[in-house]
Amino acid sequence: MLKTALRNLLAHKARQIMTVLAVCLGVAFVSGTLVFADSAAEAHRAAASKSFADVAVSVTAKEPPPGAAAHQQTSALDDALARKLAAVPGVAAVRPSADGSAALNAADGTPLRVDPGANPAVGYVPGKDGKDSRYPLAEGRAPTNSGELAVDRGTAAAGHFRIGDTITLATDGPVMTKRLVGIVTTEDTRVTAGGTLALFDKATAQKLFASPGHYTGIDLSAAPGTDQSALSRRVAGVLPADRAEATTGAAQAAQQALYVDTLTRGYEKLPLVFAGVSLFIGSFLIINTFTMLVSRRTREIALLRAIGATRRQVSRSVLLEALVVGLVASAAGFLLGLGIAAVLPGILSTDGNTLPQGPLVIGPRPVVAALGVGVGVTVLAAWLPSRRAAKVAPVEAMRTTDQPPSAQRSRIRGVAGLALLVLGAGVLVSLSGAKDASEKNLQNAMFGCALLVAALIVLAPLLASPMIRLTGRLTSRFGITGHLAQQNALRDPRRTAATAATLLISTALVAGLAVIGNSTGQALDRQAAAGLGADYVISSPPMTGVDPAAVRRVADTSGVRTASAVTDSTLFTGGGVREISGVDPHTVHDVMKLDFVSGSAKELGPGRIAVSSTLARANGVTTGGHLNAALGRNQESRKYTVVGVYKDNPVAHDALGARTEVAHDSYLPGSVQRILVRTDGGAVSKTTEDRLRAAVGNSPLLKVQDREQFVHEAAGTMGNLLTLMYGMLAIGIVIAALGIMNTLAISVAERTREIGALRALGMDRSGIRRMIRLEAVTVAAFGTLLGLAGGLFGAWAVGSLANGAMPQYSLALPWGTLLLVCLLSLTIGALAATIPAHRAAALSPLEAVAEM
């Protein structure tokens, strides 16, 4: 039986290639993603270790306790402490630093990447040789006064800077301009991962990020043979325990590598999703392939049973074939995965987050995963066909034709399919009125969608005949070839359904996601547009603010009718942490579209707030009632009078208060986070935008957006969903093409006599090719239509949950995308038939005689 299994495998190796390719795709995504993750993590560690190679211990200041004395508010890290640390046994060198963050404008005035964690700004602290070993100079010289600046090579390239250029930048205050005098290189993983680097002279850095004569950190290098942990303990002994702490360089490197790794960890998820989709869809191709091979070898298996082969031996022979196919697919997929791992850093770095470069790290995890996934999926998928093969009786050898499934089996399939359909549809319909996008409801919705897809797969053989007869009205326009194509698809509904299953699943996934994505995107557009009355929004990053003086300059800008400052802060209530916007009651209605259910914003003032409908329901308050809450840094809860309740508004956040009160208790007292601008006649132009940018000093920390840009950014979260959608569509179509090609190849081999007879009766080669292509298109159309029906129904049910969290949500069909899916599916069906059609057309009429 072992020899027989291997002989069968070699005899059908051309058909098994399709199965190998399907599994290979899934294995490649899994192994490639794991290799990429391990390689990226190692590159992060290597880059961080190199950056901290000569740092044995790092000393940093502790946050002063609340209510600390004035002298405790100043950093304890100064030159006196640096000299004391230099005297600690085992310390070879002391290098103090003053670090913070700074955002830069490019040469054309547009802000470079603004992220406090990825925009380090440091003081250039030269050693005895006049150089800072952390930042080797590549061009120019180091900054020596407050008007000079140096950047790294990556920042210079991104901003198109040259030595001598004037650079506009900001830390957390007013805009500064400095002359570029040097370009350095760095191994700082925050910078190599796509951030920017700015270097000041020591005095300027101390003034910006600490205080004159003080530092934010002191790095110590160790004498040869000194243990870092022991040195760290000795250093801690000379530090003021309540104001400074010591950390080993290895721990600092690990912490920085973890930070960068956290930023890029999400990149692993998308490829793994693609891997799961490809393996899930590919499993249907495996089942179909082995089912067809078993069906074609019915007489052979029956003869083996007749001469003494047991059912277990027959089943094992099929599983052995699957094992070999899985091993080959795993090996090929792993090699392809290495290629994927090699190109992923370049693909995922296109958004400005450049990943550290390094050699591929091949550990045991991706190897085991490749074998486990490839072999496991293939053997499991072949298990059902192996059981079917084991049930073949010796009497089957006497039959000359395949037997259709019994009526009882069809009835069982119908009952099971209908039960799954009713259960899945029932779950989804019951959720359609929930209007609550809670985690439990979403899980139930996913469960209902899974039941619905399972029902369609089970019912597909029973639905094949009526649906293909319906689509046959189109193929009949091609004459006898179209009629024969329809009959060929109807010949074995189970095979047709199994072939179409791959397209059914991928189309259902893509159609459902496309509808939800399009509907959500439009809802976000409407939500943002409905809440914004301003023509421009000027905003700052978290924990920073707009210079209050800039508010007056914006208000005085030509063409500006209203400039309303907004201070954003937090509101701690019994229902959790909420966001509150401090506004001017006199101008808020000019820049925000507030729809009050009761009350108004006119009564806002000290101790008086307005709340959103959601916050009002969560806390059981109404206009005139009271809400116990703590505002901003004020830890004490107080009673606020509710002067109005408005419909949820993303621009206004969860609550509205008077800006004077909110700004007073904000974490950044007196700060402004947003300026909402209303122009004369709603004018929006590049000139107006330039004027507003100039009014805020062209600060790279501030974002100036017109209404359309603001709304587009609010809906920008749909980008990842669309990427996922189109990726799954591509995977599904590729695997579906392999399945159609495989099915038609076996079908052509089974119909040699029939095709030869058609040729003998006068059908030319082009007619044969047309017949095979139309058959493929028919199967593709069947799977596509069934998938569209399931996907649209699931999207309707799941989308109704979003309506509870997003009142603007309504079902919006992306007709262009759905039409594209249909056209791609039909096109891929026709293309998949190219090779089988060519082989069928190449058959000679004499082969019909040879087969008789």
Side-chain angles (χ1 to χ4, degrees):
M1 291 301 295
L2 176 61
K3 291 181 179 178
T4 301
L6 294 176
R7 181 186 61 80
N8 285 328
L9 188 63
L10 293 174
H12 304 105
K13 55 181 178 294
R15 294 165 198 159
Q16 297 287 13
I17 288 177
M18 307 298 177
T19 304
V20 170
L21 289 175
V23 180
C24 179
L25 286 175
V27 172
F29 278 115
V30 171
S31 60
T33 301
L34 295 178
V35 170
F36 161 70
D38 292 343
S39 302
E42 182 60 31
H44 293 154
R45 286 190 290 269
S49 297
K50 191 173 182 180
S51 179
F52 287 89
D54 59 346
V55 177
V57 177
S58 182
V59 178
T60 55
K62 288 183 177 180
E63 289 289 333
H71 73 279
Q72 290 181 305
Q73 299 288 341
T74 305
S75 171
L77 311 184
D78 54 15
D79 289 320
L81 180 61
R83 289 191 293 270
K84 188 183 296 186
L85 292 173
V88 174
V91 173
V94 176
R95 187 173 60 222
S97 60
D99 301 350
S101 66
L104 288 75
N105 274 340
D108 62 0
T110 59
L112 293 175
R113 181 181 179 188
V114 179
D115 180 353
N119 302 125
V122 303
Y124 190 91
V125 183
K128 294 180 180 179
D129 59 355
K131 299 178 180 179
D132 191 330
S133 59
R134 298 172 300 172
Y135 308 107
L137 281 164
E139 297 179 42
R141 60 176 176 82
T144 57
N145 58 64
S146 60
E148 296 178 344
L149 182 76
V151 299
D152 70 292
R153 274 180 169 169
T155 302
H160 303 288
F161 300 137
R162 295 181 180 179
I163 299 295
D165 286 352
T166 298
I167 297 179
T168 302
L169 69 153
T171 53
D172 58 355
V175 176
M176 299 175 285
T177 57
K178 299 185 182 298
R179 188 168 65 90
L180 182 65
V181 297
I183 296 176
V184 304
T185 60
T186 180
E187 297 294 335
D188 190 328
T189 51
R190 295 171 297 174
V191 181
T192 58
T196 62
L197 173 67
L199 292 99
F200 304 92
D201 66 287
K202 184 175 74 171
T204 301
Q206 288 178 322
K207 181 179 179 181
L208 288 172
F209 307 124
S211 58
H214 294 80
Y215 305 98
T216 58
I218 301 177
D219 293 334
L220 311 176
S221 58
T226 303
D227 180 69
Q228 284 192 4
S229 298
L231 180 60
S232 177
R233 289 192 293 270
R234 289 197 292 270
V235 167
V238 302
L239 297 176
D242 59 336
R243 301 183 64 194
E245 58 185 348
T247 309
T248 64
Q252 287 281 87
Q255 183 178 6
Q256 185 164 318
L258 179 63
Y259 168 75
V260 180
D261 185 55
T262 302
L263 290 178
T264 57
R265 191 177 300 161
Y267 294 145
E268 302 174 21
K269 297 178 181 179
L270 198 59
L272 285 177
V273 170
F274 289 163
V277 171
S278 61
L279 289 170
F280 179 64
I281 299 176
S283 64
F284 288 89
L285 173 57
I286 300 169
I287 294 173
N288 200 24
T289 299
F290 277 96
T291 298
M292 289 187 294
L293 291 176
V294 167
S295 177
R296 191 156 187 249
R297 285 155 43 194
T298 298
R299 294 181 65 184
E300 175 189 325
I301 295 171
L303 287 172
L304 289 173
R305 295 277 287 114
I307 61 176
T310 64
R311 290 188 174 185
R312 182 172 296 180
Q313 286 177 317
V314 171
S315 178
R316 284 178 178 174
S317 69
V318 176
L319 292 177
L320 178 61
E321 292 183 44
L323 176 63
V324 175
V325 169
L327 287 172
V328 173
S330 296
F334 185 77
L335 293 177
L336 181 59
L338 294 181
I340 291 176
V343 301
L344 272 178
I347 295 174
L348 298 177
S349 296
T350 55
D351 63 349
N353 296 322
T354 305
L355 302 181
Q357 299 294 320
L360 292 180
V361 176
I362 305 175
R365 187 173 65 148
V367 176
V368 172
L371 287 173
V373 169
V375 175
V377 169
T378 308
V379 172
L380 285 175
W383 179 70
L384 284 176
S386 72
R387 291 193 60 191
R388 190 172 298 168
K391 293 180 180 179
V392 175
V395 72
E396 297 287 338
M398 301 172 61
R399 295 177 178 171
T400 59
T401 59
D402 293 335
Q403 298 299 309
S406 64
Q408 181 180 3
R409 183 179 297 178
S410 297
R411 283 196 296 270
I412 293 175
R413 176 184 288 273
V415 171
L418 285 175
L420 289 172
L421 182 65
V422 171
L423 183 60
V427 170
L428 293 176
V429 170
S430 66
L431 292 172
S432 64
K435 306 293 184 183
D436 179 13
S438 65
E439 184 177 352
K440 182 179 180 181
N441 281 342
L442 287 174
Q443 290 176 349
N444 290 336
M446 294 301 103
F447 177 67
C449 289
L451 289 176
L452 185 64
V453 171
L456 292 177
I457 293 172
V458 173
L459 291 173
L462 304 180
L463 297 174
S465 294
M467 291 190 68
I468 290 176
R469 286 193 174 91
L470 180 64
T471 58
R473 296 180 180 180
L474 298 177
T475 56
S476 62
R477 296 178 179 272
F478 293 89
I480 188 62
T481 55
H483 177 72
L484 290 173
Q486 180 193 32
Q487 294 304 312
N488 289 334
L490 290 170
R491 181 176 299 183
D492 190 342
R494 287 181 301 173
R495 178 184 298 182
T496 298
T499 305
T502 53
L503 269 179
L504 187 158
I505 297 169
S506 59
T507 303
L509 284 171
V510 172
L513 286 175
V515 172
I516 293 174
N518 186 63
S519 302
T520 304
Q522 291 190 17
L524 287 172
D525 286 349
R526 289 192 294 270
Q527 188 181 58
L532 182 64
D535 301 305
Y536 282 94
V537 177
I538 302 173
S539 57
S540 64
M543 298 308 296
T544 60
V546 184
D547 181 7
V551 180
R552 293 189 295 273
R553 294 197 299 269
V554 169
D556 294 336
T557 300
S558 175
V560 171
R561 189 178 80 185
T562 304
S564 183
V566 179
T567 297
D568 295 320
S569 189
T570 53
L571 190 71
F572 300 91
T573 68
V577 181
R578 304 286 184 166
E579 292 181 283
I580 184 171
S581 299
V583 298
D584 181 350
H586 302 291
T587 61
V588 64
H589 282 286
D590 201 28
V591 293
M592 291 185 187
K593 294 181 179 178
L594 297 170
D595 186 0
F596 274 85
V597 178
S598 59
S600 72
K602 295 179 181 179
E603 302 299 322
L604 291 176
R608 300 192 298 274
I609 62 174
V611 299
S612 67
S613 297
T614 298
L615 182 58
R617 285 195 302 270
N619 290 272
V621 296
T622 58
T623 299
H626 296 88
L627 177 67
N628 290 319
L631 176 59
R633 59 192 174 93
N634 188 350
Q635 300 297 314
E636 295 183 4
S637 180
R638 59 173 293 188
K639 184 180 292 186
Y640 287 90
T641 301
V642 177
V643 297
V645 177
Y646 56 89
K647 292 183 178 179
D648 289 7
N649 187 318
V651 181
H653 294 155
D654 301 302
L656 289 172
R659 196 178 75 80
T660 51
E661 180 179 28
V662 175
H664 179 270
D665 291 330
S666 170
Y667 289 103
L668 299 172
S671 66
V672 173
Q673 278 67 51
R674 291 179 289 164
I675 306 176
L676 304 183
V677 180
R678 189 76 179 268
T679 60
D680 293 330
V684 174
S685 65
K686 183 66 167 62
T687 302
T688 304
E689 181 178 335
D690 291 342
R691 287 173 181 168
L692 293 175
R693 289 189 183 279
V696 294
N698 289 315
S699 173
L701 288 173
L702 303 182
K703 188 184 298 182
V704 179
Q705 298 172 297
D706 61 33
R707 182 185 181 85
E708 183 178 350
Q709 292 168 336
F710 178 82
V711 170
H712 179 73
E713 182 180 283
T717 53
M718 290 297 102
N720 290 336
L721 180 61
L722 293 176
T723 300
L724 178 66
M725 178 187 73
Y726 290 120
M728 288 192 296
L729 174 61
I731 290 174
I733 282 181
V734 169
I735 298 178
L738 295 175
I740 293 173
M741 192 182 300
N742 209 21
T743 300
L744 291 177
I746 295 177
S747 178
V748 167
E750 291 177 347
R751 285 151 44 192
T752 299
R753 287 187 300 172
E754 175 188 322
I755 294 172
L758 289 173
R759 293 281 287 117
L761 291 174
M763 183 175 286
D764 57 13
R765 295 180 187 275
S766 63
I768 296 294
R769 286 193 293 267
R770 190 182 307 116
M771 178 184 71
I772 300 299
R773 288 196 187 100
L774 288 173
E775 181 180 350
V777 171
T778 299
V779 174
F782 169 60
T784 301
L785 291 175
L786 211 55
L788 281 175
L792 294 178
F793 183 79
W796 166 77
V798 174
S800 65
L801 297 179
N803 187 259
M806 197 182 305
Q808 292 83 359
Y809 184 94
S810 62
L811 197 67
L813 298 182
W815 294 107
T817 302
L818 297 178
L819 179 61
L820 178 63
V821 169
C822 294
L823 292 177
L824 282 176
S825 299
L826 297 179
T827 302
I828 206 67
L831 292 176
T834 301
I835 295 177
H838 178 75
R839 289 182 178 178
L843 291 175
S844 168
L846 294 176
E847 293 191 39
V849 179
E851 288 287 330
M852 291 181 179

